Amino acid sequence: MIIDLAELLSRRNFTADFTVSFDRESLHIISEDYPIRKKKPFEFHLANEENRRLYIHAEGEMQVAIPCDRCLRKTNFPFSLVIDRTLYLSEGAVVIPEEERDTFAFLADGHSIDCDILVFDEILVNWPTKVLCRNDCKGLCPVCGRNLNDGDCGHDRFVPDPRMAGIQDLFKNFKEV
Ligand SMILES: [Zn+2]
Ligand SMILES: [Zn+2]
């Protein structure tokens, strides 16, 4: 959702609160789509300080379906997001310094902000390095691909450690003597 800043920027020290819903139904990251399972509207608080700075504070929560690292089953991961950004104002408009044009590309123009992109940036910063459907997830059988949380398939899943190969050879030679 886009917030129009016209009123906020026209009055020094003006503050305003907005309830903003995240418009997207899924997150597209690299070549994957992650469905959003649950979301609550974000509470945005904006403050124009002396027509020099614009403070943005927002909080919200959502659950995103991310595949489990071991069994690939989609797992609802909860995000608790807190956004704090400061933008600079000049002559009643938001000014983005040259060196920050890439990171602040979410600004549609000097008089509005795109909250979706602001939220999306924060999700990326908070993206988990590991997601498990449960702490003791058994993963997939390397032989048949069965999800072992659903029961055992009976396959021998012993994967020899390559570091053991040398020791096994030694042992064989010893026996042959
Ligand atoms: Zn799992
Ligand atoms: Zn199997």
Side-chain angles (χ1 to χ4, degrees):
M1 190 185 129
I2 306 275
I3 293 183
D4 181 9
L5 302 175
E7 191 186 15
L8 204 85
L9 297 182
S10 68
R11 293 157 67 187
R12 182 183 283 237
N13 295 326
F14 191 66
T15 63
D17 294 314
F18 301 88
T19 301
V20 176
S21 59
F22 190 64
D23 290 338
R24 304 178 197 194
E25 294 305 319
S26 70
L27 303 171
H28 190 75
I29 301 171
I30 309 175
S31 55
E32 292 291 326
D33 260 318
Y34 300 91
I36 295 170
R37 290 275 166 80
K38 256 192 219 167
K39 56 184 171 183
K40 279 203 273 183
F42 281 72
E43 299 299 330
F44 269 76
H45 177 76
L46 280 76
N48 170 350
E49 190 201 60
E50 297 293 337
N51 280 341
R52 297 166 68 109
R53 278 178 286 270
L54 179 71
Y55 290 116
I56 304 170
H57 178 84
E59 293 185 18
E61 290 171 12
M62 68 171 68
Q63 286 192 8
V64 181
I66 302 174
C68 169
D69 276 308
R70 289 188 198 148
C71 72
L72 306 177
R73 186 169 280 172
K74 288 209 164 140
T75 305
N76 286 354
F77 186 86
F79 286 89
S80 264
L81 303 167
V82 179
I83 296 166
D84 275 304
R85 288 276 182 100
T86 303
L87 302 177
Y88 295 93
L89 303 176
S90 174
E91 296 172 6
V94 173
V95 215
I96 310 292
E98 190 86 45
E99 65 273 16
E100 290 180 359
R101 296 251 155 97
D102 291 340
T103 36
F104 286 96
F106 61 85
L107 284 156
D109 57 42
H111 298 89
S112 66
I113 53 168
D114 186 334
C115 298
D116 274 13
I117 297 175
L118 210 50
V119 171
F120 187 73
D121 278 359
E122 198 60 32
I123 293 170
L124 288 186
V125 169
N126 286 280
W127 197 260
T129 50
K130 187 172 192 147
V131 173
L132 292 177
C133 61
R134 55 190 224 203
N135 283 336
D136 62 344
C137 170
K138 296 187 175 78
L140 301 175
C141 168
V143 180
C144 69
R146 182 184 165 97
N147 187 334
L148 297 170
N149 299 308
D150 297 337
D152 202 274
C153 53
H155 281 123
D156 179 7
R157 293 187 292 277
F158 175 70
V159 181
D161 186 331
R163 288 169 301 181
M164 290 296 287
I167 295 165
Q168 280 168 348
D169 283 349
L170 247 172
F171 193 65
K172 243 189 277 170
N173 292 341
F174 179 75
K175 277 207 298 196
E176 279 163 11
V177 172

